[in-house]
Amino acid sequence: MDEVTGAQLIAESLKAQKVEYMFGIVGVPVIEVAMAAQAAGIKYVGMRNEQAACYAASAIGYLTGRPGSCLVVSGPGLIHALGGMANANMNCWPVVVIGGSSDQNQETAGAFQEFPQVEACRLYSKFSARPSSLDVIPSVIEKAVRTSMYGRPGACYVDIAGDMVNAKVDRSKVRAVSCCPTPPVSLAHHGAIAEAISVLKAAKRPLVIIGKGAAYGRAETALREFVEMIGLPFLPTPMGKGVLPDDHPNCVAAARSRALLQADVVLLLGARLNWMLHFGLPPRFNPNVKIIQVDLCAEEMGNNVSPAVALLGDINAVVIQLVEVVRKDGWRYASDSEWWSTLKDKIVANAKISKTLALQSTVPMNYYTVFHHVSQLLPHDCIIISEGANTMDIGRTMLNNYLPRHRLDAGTFGTMGVGLGFAIAAAAVERSEHSNQRIVCVEGDSAFGFSGMEVETMCRYNLPVVIIVVNNNGIYSGVDLETWKEMAKMGDLTSIAPPVSLLPEARYDEVMTAFGGRGFLVRTVEELRSALQLSLSDWERPSLLNVLIDPSSDRKQQDFPWLTLSNL
Ligand code: ADP
Ligand code: MG
């Protein structure tokens, strides 16, 4: 008899569904699952917190189009992973979480780490199930992988009873399930395509908004043809950056507010009209703006603004449909329009402002100076991962992306703590695809702290991630070392220290050196440039640049820098 264990069935089924990566933390009852995954040819990355493991697995889905898997233990392990599932769902990224749970027939018995896991995952997933016997594991895993990718992508959960992990079944009793294909592609209705083209042609001030759905949907080639053929201005959302290069002549990111406010027709490609796009409403949008909305999720159509035209379908396929119509009639948007000159004037004016700030050579440095030099040194094909408040917001405007799916950040959910997990996933993909791309993680000091122990994971697997911690001693901003010492003399810091503050000049670089990576303490432009160059030339191990900047860099000086709420 050819017997197979539950652990083997899970691992082999994931591999059969082309799930190539697993991130997790093992413990009873899932150790054997991780071992079986490696035996089946899945790359296993052991992480330090399930949240980061789940962030990493979800980034695999965004980067490769096939979900990564996340392996967690019962109870608290699974609960930690919920953050990652929620983040994946909000971002519309596929991920499959496998959770060990208490034994069968022990439900409600008060078993070790017992928790209603299948129910708990429902709010954070598209599909949540517990196979009732070993022989159905392959079909449940197939359904989880398929559901995570099909329709609007998201998180799926499979619960494995502890006693099923090592239980055995005769292989001949297990129904083989084939690999689910990539999602079927749908086209928009041809009448709606014609309608969209006529609305676009009638526009005086058209604007294309490129979201991370366009990045996920791999629409870059068709989109470039569309934008260049017609000569339309485009604006990427944060993770839409790089679908078309940020230095493309039609990119109007540097005139974002003006473009949003004055556009009369917006072609919205894979972006929701949520908080990130100011709901598509005044005061940030023209009240009469006509939206041509392209999305594969029908329920998304009409959220906040009723679209003039709804194009339901896959972005890549729909853009090709649009290209075909325009190619036939040869229409171009006038390059000498008033709209183009308004946008170009604004771009030039805004560039001057940030250049002035960037060229300040004071110590401590400000954000603009740091990003100016970082952007000069980063290779064009590097993957930039970023999180933090000011660090992410200012960095986004100054660090260019030239390739699609090369920027990952706090995303739709605004989740802090995603950076190191995302970087580990990107580095794992880089390693297995030999793409020779640098993975650069630009972190605020607060954001870094959420998953800081993952530097050990990077060191353990020799993942040459470059982490730049832009350290302003706090959340939004902290206080300088001298002020901190004065406050400590005045009394109990828990009563008087601003809640936004973190330890001034904390040595995050030493967290990296503790595990054998490279650490740099950086105060000046020269130190920044040389540390970054050294880090970028090292492919053997990770580096961390602890860049101490002016804690009040982002705003003007206040009389009483602490104890004033208005200061926040
Ligand atoms: P952003 O953060 O860039 O604004 P969102 O995450 O808000 O982007 O929106 C992405 C949208 O893209 C979602 O509404 C999702 O349904 C949609 N989407 C994802 N993949 C595709 C695809 N291949 N074709 C069409 N729409 C897609
Ligand atoms: Mg900070």
Side-chain angles (χ1 to χ4, degrees):
M1 217 168 44
D2 181 13
E3 287 192 317
V4 59
T5 65
Q8 283 170 305
L9 277 175
I10 296 162
E12 290 169 14
S13 307
L14 287 169
K15 182 70 183 174
Q17 297 306 323
K18 296 204 172 110
V19 172
E20 304 294 345
Y21 301 88
M22 180 179 276
F23 300 83
I25 300 184
V26 294
V28 176
V30 300
I31 299 176
E32 290 84 351
V33 178
M35 289 163 64
Q38 285 182 318
I42 293 174
K43 294 179 169 62
Y44 178 78
V45 180
M47 306 278 292
R48 302 304 303 264
N49 182 293
E50 292 87 353
Q51 246 178 39
C54 198
Y55 297 145
S58 71
I60 292 289
Y62 181 61
L63 293 170
T64 72
R66 204 85 194 170
S69 59
C70 173
L71 180 69
V72 298
V73 299
S74 41
L78 186 267
I79 289 169
H80 290 168
L82 292 178
M85 292 174 75
N87 189 66
N89 246 13
M90 294 289 175
N91 274 350
C92 314
W93 291 358
V95 68
V96 173
V97 178
I98 311 283
S101 63
S102 40
D103 291 354
Q104 296 168 94
N105 307 320
Q106 277 196 349
E107 296 92 349
T108 75
F112 175 62
Q113 297 184 335
E114 178 190 310
F115 195 70
Q117 301 186 175
V118 174
E119 292 89 324
C121 288
R122 287 230 163 88
L123 257 185
Y124 310 93
S125 66
K126 300 174 71 184
F127 171 72
S128 177
R130 168 159 164 143
S132 54
S133 58
L134 290 178
D135 55 302
V136 298
I137 286 176
S139 39
V140 174
I141 297 266
E142 187 272 347
K143 178 152 172 130
V145 171
R146 179 163 42 86
T147 308
S148 77
M149 297 188 295
Y150 282 33
R152 173 180 268 174
C156 290
Y157 176 65
V158 179
D159 195 72
I160 303 292
D163 56 346
M164 279 170 73
V165 170
N166 291 318
K168 291 180 180 165
V169 63
D170 187 349
R171 235 183 232 285
S172 64
K173 298 226 168 67
V174 181
R175 191 166 67 90
V177 179
S178 57
C179 177
C180 77
T182 51
V185 171
S186 54
L187 300 181
H189 188 268
H190 59 85
I193 291 283
E195 178 71 19
I197 296 289
S198 79
V199 171
L200 253 187
K201 281 184 179 171
K204 286 206 173 64
R205 296 180 303 281
L207 177 68
V208 178
I209 296 182
I210 303 176
K212 67 176 171 301
Y216 181 78
R218 290 166 162 67
E220 52 267 17
T221 310
L223 246 174
R224 183 188 279 262
E225 185 176 1
F226 180 74
V227 162
E228 291 179 355
M229 187 164 66
I230 306 177
L232 291 172
F234 75 85
L235 182 70
T237 65
M239 277 195 255
K241 269 162 67 74
V243 171
L244 297 185
D246 280 335
D247 63 350
H248 191 286
N250 295 30
C251 179
V252 296
R256 182 179 188 274
S257 298
R258 176 72 56 95
L260 292 181
L261 184 63
Q262 295 186 356
D264 62 350
V265 171
V266 167
L267 174 60
L268 185 69
L269 297 159
R272 285 166 282 184
L273 292 175
N274 56 16
W275 66 278
M276 290 175 80
L277 281 170
H278 321 288
F279 313 104
L281 295 170
R284 302 300 298 270
F285 276 74
N286 165 358
N288 301 316
V289 65
K290 290 188 171 137
I291 306 276
I292 304 168
Q293 191 171 6
V294 185
D295 206 293
L296 50 60
C297 176
E299 292 89 335
E300 188 56 41
M301 302 297 184
N303 277 338
N304 294 320
V305 179
S306 173
V309 187
L311 300 176
L312 183 64
D314 173 69
I315 296 179
N316 186 47
V318 170
V319 174
I320 291 172
Q321 286 181 288
L322 294 169
V323 164
E324 276 163 7
V325 174
V326 178
R327 199 188 284 132
K328 267 188 212 134
D329 68 12
W331 170 63
R332 266 192 78 82
Y333 177 69
S335 56
D336 59 355
S337 63
E338 217 182 298
W339 181 225
W340 260 124
S341 47
T342 310
L343 293 171
K344 283 186 175 152
D345 290 349
K346 192 71 195 163
I347 289 170
V348 173
N350 285 352
K352 270 190 202 143
I353 299 173
S354 44
K355 188 138 202 178
T356 319
L357 287 161
L359 294 178
Q360 285 178 9
S361 56
T362 48
V363 175
M365 292 180 281
N366 66 38
Y367 282 104
Y368 296 87
T369 309
V370 172
F371 292 131
H372 172 71
H373 292 281
V374 169
S375 76
Q376 283 189 338
L377 294 173
L378 290 186
H380 272 207
D381 65 350
C382 74
I383 294 188
I384 300 175
I385 290 155
S386 188
E387 59 176 335
N390 298 320
T391 299
M392 183 170 73
D393 291 343
I394 302 173
R396 182 175 57 238
T397 64
M398 295 188 67
L399 301 176
N400 275 355
N401 288 94
Y402 302 93
L403 293 166
R405 299 168 295 284
H406 277 52
R407 177 188 166 87
L408 292 90
D409 66 22
T412 306
F413 212 19
T415 310
M416 296 301 153
V418 292
L420 276 67
F422 286 177
I424 288 167
V429 172
E430 188 280 328
R431 172 157 304 166
S432 74
E433 294 181 357
H434 308 287
S435 56
N436 287 327
Q437 282 170 327
R438 297 303 323 210
I439 316 298
V440 181
C441 214
V442 185
E443 302 270 313
D445 53 328
S446 163
F448 173 76
F450 285 87
S451 300
M453 193 50 74
E454 299 301 339
V455 297
E456 188 277 329
T457 310
M458 293 175 182
C459 288
R460 184 164 17 106
Y461 294 107
N462 303 318
L463 299 173
V465 173
V466 178
I467 303 175
I468 301 171
V469 176
V470 185
N471 187 353
N472 68 349
N473 306 341
I475 303 169
Y476 305 119
S477 69
V479 298
D480 60 55
L481 189 57
E482 291 311 310
T483 312
W484 185 260
K485 284 181 184 162
E486 277 167 38
M487 279 194 304
K489 280 186 214 146
M490 280 163 57
D492 179 358
L493 285 167
T494 58
S495 307
I496 55 173
V500 290
S501 57
L502 295 168
L503 185 71
E505 306 196 4
R507 295 300 301 272
Y508 298 110
D509 48 311
E510 293 185 354
V511 177
M512 182 58 95
T513 52
F515 300 110
R518 281 168 173 263
F520 300 89
L521 183 66
V522 168
R523 291 178 195 271
T524 65
V525 166
E526 293 70 34
E527 287 167 354
L528 173 63
R529 293 186 74 96
S530 93
L532 187 51
Q533 276 162 333
L534 279 171
S535 305
L536 289 170
S537 64
D538 190 338
W539 285 89
E540 304 296 318
R541 53 192 176 140
S543 312
L544 191 151
L545 282 64
N546 182 10
V547 185
L548 303 182
I549 64 160
D550 182 352
S552 57
S553 157
D554 60 310
R555 56 218 166 104
K556 56 184 189 306
Q557 211 60 42
Q558 310 274 324
D559 290 340
F560 299 97
W562 68 93
L563 297 179
T564 50
L565 264 184
S566 61
N567 207 20
L568 298 174

